[in-house]
């Protein structure tokens, strides 16, 4: 079955700094989803990528899917304390179910 | 708009007791899911349902059962709770199975002593 890895496992940045979180799949991705989870709360959908080379942006968050569709990156520009949380990538496991990466815990220091 | 409602928010129970976590959605989504989230292990799928009347096993189904009598409700039952079932449980739904965005509830924190 498909497995997702994320790096880094955790990240602490100063407010205003840029950062990147990576998600790598063991198999070709046919749909890659990014979610954010605030501590102790449920997951919130951020964006979905399906095509190789696709890039989407929402406010200060940009996600890309590489041409081979095995790796995605999430980039946050000028981070703010409101960006803190756990970022998880998720993917369609070849029609069997939906799998998630282990998550990247982001802390933004004011 | 409620979306996904889970109950209880948290619960402590003794090992061996029976427990049902409730999940209700008001979006008329066909697919529903139960995940557990554990530190270091991420989100793992327990059971899912493609549509009312059908259910399927996920990655970690042992010790859990589900039912889907109607579109809106998807309860998760622990027949005889064990300490290893201490976790945060999330219910989610989507329009169709694997059809994109999943909507999550706020989670139910369960502690089994």
């Amino acid at each position: 079955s498909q497995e997702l890895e994320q790096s880094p496992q955790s990240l602490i940045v100063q407010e205003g700094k840029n950062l990147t979180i990576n998600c790598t799949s063991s198999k070709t991705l046919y749909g890659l989803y990014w979610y954010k989870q605030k501590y102790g709360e449920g997951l919130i959908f951020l964006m979905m990528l399906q095509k190789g080379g696709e890039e989407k942006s929402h406010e200060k968050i940009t996600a890309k899917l590489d041409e081979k569709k095995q790796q995605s990156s999430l980039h946050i520009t000028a981070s703010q304390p409101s960006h803190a949380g756990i970022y998880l990538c998720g993917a369609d496991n070849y029609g069997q179910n939906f799998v998630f990466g282990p998550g990247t815990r982001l802390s933004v220091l004011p | 708009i409620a979306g996904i409602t889970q109950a209880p928010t948290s619960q402590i129970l003794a090992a061996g007791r029976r427990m049902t976590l409730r999940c209700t959605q008001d979006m008329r989504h066909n697919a529903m899911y139960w995940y557990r989230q554990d530190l270091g292990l991420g989100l793992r799928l327990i059971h899912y349902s493609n549509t009312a009347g059908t259910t399927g096993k996920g990655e970690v189904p042992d010790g859990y059962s589900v039912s889907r009598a109607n579109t809106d409700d998807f309860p998760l039952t622990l027949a005889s709770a064990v300490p290893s079932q201490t976790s945060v449980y999330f219910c989610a739904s989507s329009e169709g199975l694997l059809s994109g965005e999943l909507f999550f509830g706020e989670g139910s924190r369960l502690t089994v002593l």
Side-chain angles (χ1 to χ4, degrees):
Chain A
S1 65
Q2 187 170 64
E3 293 184 359
L4 298 175
E5 296 181 353
Q6 288 186 237
S7 63
Q9 189 174 51
S10 63
L11 195 55
I12 302 175
V13 299
Q14 199 73 40
E15 182 177 0
K17 295 294 185 182
N18 303 335
L19 63 105
T20 300
I21 298 169
N22 294 302
C23 175
T24 303
S25 171
S26 58
K27 297 181 180 180
T28 300
L29 294 160
Y30 289 100
L32 188 284
Y33 306 80
W34 282 101
Y35 288 82
K36 179 186 176 185
Q37 182 182 26
K38 291 188 176 181
Y39 302 118
E41 299 181 10
L43 281 70
I44 299 172
F45 172 80
L46 295 176
M47 52 190 94
M48 176 183 73
L49 304 165
Q50 287 187 306
K51 299 178 182 178
E54 186 176 9
E55 179 176 322
K56 287 187 177 178
S57 294
H58 176 66
E59 297 181 342
K60 294 185 178 180
I61 300 176
T62 301
K64 300 178 184 179
L65 183 61
D66 74 342
E67 289 290 342
K68 293 183 178 180
K69 301 204 309 183
Q70 283 195 274
Q71 186 167 4
S72 177
S73 61
L74 186 82
H75 184 77
I76 298 177
T77 303
S79 59
Q80 301 170 356
S82 62
H83 287 129
I86 302 171
Y87 290 82
L88 297 98
C89 60
D92 170 2
N93 185 23
Y94 287 72
Q96 296 179 24
N97 55 44
F98 199 86
V99 294
F100 288 90
T104 294
R105 186 180 293 268
L106 172 64
S107 300
V108 181
L109 304 179
Chain B
I1 298 176
I4 298 259
T5 302
Q6 290 186 233
T9 304
S10 65
Q11 181 74 45
I12 301 173
L13 76 162
R17 298 297 294 269
R18 180 184 179 89
M19 178 71 195
T20 295
L21 302 180
R22 300 184 297 279
C23 175
T24 300
Q25 53 112 350
D26 62 2
M27 297 172 283
R28 307 302 292 173
H29 283 171
N30 288 314
M32 296 187 76
Y33 316 81
W34 274 106
Y35 287 89
R36 60 177 290 174
Q37 187 176 37
D38 304 286
L39 191 64
L41 297 174
L43 280 163
R44 293 181 292 170
L45 183 66
I46 305 170
H47 284 287
Y48 65 93
S49 170
N50 190 14
T51 186
T54 66
T55 62
K57 294 182 179 181
E59 185 182 354
V60 287
D62 294 342
Y64 305 94
S65 64
V66 291
S67 62
R68 188 87 184 276
N70 56 61
T71 298
D72 299 341
D73 302 301
F74 191 45
L76 176 74
T77 298
L78 290 67
S80 179
V82 295
S84 63
Q85 292 177 311
T86 294
S87 186
V88 181
Y89 292 86
F90 287 97
C91 180
S93 72
S94 61
E95 288 188 5
L97 192 66
L98 307 173
S99 65
E101 181 181 354
L102 270 65
F103 292 80
F104 282 83
E106 292 298 306
S108 296
R109 184 177 296 274
L110 183 65
T111 302
V112 183
L113 302 177

